[in-house]
């Protein structure tokens, strides 16, 4: 699995040899990251000469690019290297999840290779988009939810809630993962009704506020 992840990162290095792909969404993310680094806030200059806050897009990806920028790496280059790492991580997570659910090493390797040779996934990771971050956090959340359903304790539940909350900050579509997580708790819980309610509350309280903070900031 590690070798498949390394091959994925290498494939992206080749695909983005002349620079990471860009789109209008990419311009918003890169501009917001540079705005943070310049001390202007999460947004970018508007054509009219003012400042346009980033409200249409979730904030985690440009914030990560700004954090990388603190190391002296321009957000444009930071997006390329971040997506390389995330592609390798996503390949590894797919293999780990497959192995956990099938108990088959060969199935895990096959699943990882399927992602490695997926042209749509390669394209998504070769453009400065937030999808790679969202996929990575979603897979982490699902992996830890699976561990929780296998009765591995509250730590897996808390870890899953944090991953899902960060996924919401990566793409607002991640809100669906909160409902999915609560569904896993309700369907898979073999404890008492009170324990089920407690675990649902813990998951919702941890995963939900991160998105609400972003929505509140956007509204203001």
């Amino acid at each position: 699995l590690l070798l498949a992840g390394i091959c994925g990162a290498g494939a992206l290095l080749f695909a983005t040899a002349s620079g990471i792909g860009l789109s209008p969404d990419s311009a918003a993310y890169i501009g917001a990251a540079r705005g943070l680094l310049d001390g202007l806030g999460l947004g970018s200059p508007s054509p009219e000469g003012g400042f346009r806050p980033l409200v249409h897009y979730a904030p985690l990806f440009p914030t990560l690019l700004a954090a990388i920028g603190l190391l002296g790496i321009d957000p444009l280059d930071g997006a390329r290297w971040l997506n390389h790492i995330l592609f390798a991580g996503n390949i590894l997570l797919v293999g780990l999840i497959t192995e956990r659910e099938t108990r088959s090493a060969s199935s895990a390797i096959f699943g990882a290779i399927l992602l490695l040779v997926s042209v749509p996934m390669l394209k998504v990771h070769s453009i400065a988009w937030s999808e790679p971050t969202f996929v990575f956090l979603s897979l982490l959340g699902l992996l830890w939810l699976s561990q929780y359903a296998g009765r591995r304790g509250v730590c897996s539940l808390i870890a899953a809630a944090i991953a899902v909350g960060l996924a919401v900050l990566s793409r607002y579509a991640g809100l669906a993962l909160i409902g999915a997580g609560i569904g896993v708790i309700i369907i898979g819980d073999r404890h008492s009704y009170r324990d089920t309610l407690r675990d649902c509350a813990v998951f919702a309280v941890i995963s939900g506020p991160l998105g609400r903070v972003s929505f509140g900031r956007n509204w203001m």
Side-chain angles (χ1 to χ4, degrees):
L1 293 180
L2 184 60
L3 178 60
I6 293 173
C7 289
L12 270 187
L13 281 173
F14 176 78
T16 60
S18 58
I20 194 166
L22 298 173
S23 73
D25 289 1
S26 305
Y29 292 130
I30 301 298
R34 288 174 175 167
L36 273 179
L37 287 172
D38 292 339
L40 300 175
L42 192 65
S44 56
S46 66
E48 298 79 17
F51 180 76
R52 178 179 295 170
L54 185 77
V55 294
H56 184 70
Y57 302 93
L60 182 60
F61 181 57
T63 302
L64 289 175
L65 297 183
I68 296 173
L70 295 176
L71 302 176
I73 302 174
D74 184 81
L76 189 60
D77 297 321
R80 181 182 182 226
W81 290 107
L82 176 62
N83 282 6
H84 290 169
I85 296 172
L86 290 173
F87 193 37
N90 287 332
I91 291 171
L92 182 61
L93 283 174
V94 165
L96 290 175
I97 292 172
T98 305
E99 193 279 331
R100 171 173 172 76
E101 299 304 323
T102 65
R103 303 297 180 185
S104 169
S106 58
S107 295
I109 295 172
F110 181 67
I113 292 175
L114 281 181
L115 182 58
L116 171 62
V117 300
S118 169
V119 174
M121 291 301 292
L122 181 63
K123 177 181 178 180
V124 162
H125 286 77
S126 65
I127 302 177
W129 286 342
S130 61
E131 278 87 344
T133 306
F134 175 71
V135 170
F136 180 78
L137 292 169
S138 298
L139 290 174
L140 268 184
L142 293 173
L143 175 63
W144 283 326
L145 277 172
S146 175
Q147 291 178 349
Y148 163 80
R151 308 268 62 84
R152 293 199 180 184
V154 69
C155 290
S156 296
L157 179 65
I158 293 174
I162 293 173
V164 167
L166 291 174
V168 174
L169 289 182
S170 178
R171 290 189 69 82
Y172 292 134
L175 287 168
L177 292 171
I178 299 178
I182 293 175
V184 169
I185 296 170
I186 294 173
I187 295 172
D189 204 319
R190 301 182 182 91
H191 294 305
S192 66
Y193 180 70
R194 179 179 297 178
D195 289 340
T196 300
L197 287 179
R198 179 203 63 199
D199 289 353
C200 286
V202 168
F203 186 83
V205 166
I206 295 175
S207 62
L210 294 176
R212 288 197 293 271
V213 168
S214 179
F215 294 144
R217 176 258 179 192
N218 290 348
W219 180 80
M220 292 178 64

